[in-house]
Amino acid sequence: MANPNVVIGSESVRSDTIAAKVHQDIAFLTGRLTRLERQTHPNPQVLRVYRDMLESRYAVLEWLTQGSDPH
């Protein structure tokens, strides 16, 4: 089955290409949060921003993959 495209503005992009980038973002943000949380006094505002960004990436990934679920 072909991967559906996502239209961003006037550009059509393969959803699996976007999903791969989102997976990279999730890995980066997860690693960054781990490093920040290991600090003696992590900045709570920075932690919140990174957690919000991570939550957003997971939501995008869920949205991208909801159409590929055979159920």
Side-chain angles (χ1 to χ4, degrees), residues 12-34:
S12 180
V13 182
R14 288 176 47 131
S15 62
D16 59 341
T17 302
I18 297 170
K21 173 61 175 131
V22 173
H23 277 289
Q24 290 174 346
D25 289 353
I26 288 170
F28 169 79
L29 291 168
T30 300
R32 187 70 181 127
L33 271 167
T34 299

Side-chain angles (χ1 to χ4, degrees), residues 18-71:
I18 297 170
K21 173 61 175 131
V22 173
H23 277 289
Q24 290 174 346
D25 289 353
I26 288 170
F28 169 79
L29 291 168
T30 300
R32 187 70 181 127
L33 271 167
T34 299
R35 288 189 301 278
L36 287 170
E37 290 167 343
R38 287 181 184 157
Q39 293 180 350
T40 305
H41 301 289
N43 184 322
Q45 293 170 325
V46 173
L47 287 172
R48 187 173 337 114
V49 168
Y50 275 98
R51 286 183 183 127
D52 289 347
M53 291 169 63
L54 185 59
E55 182 180 332
S56 173
R57 296 315 188 279
Y58 276 119
V60 169
L61 187 60
E62 182 180 337
W63 176 77
L64 285 171
T65 58
Q66 71 184 356
S68 63
D69 187 8
H71 299 279

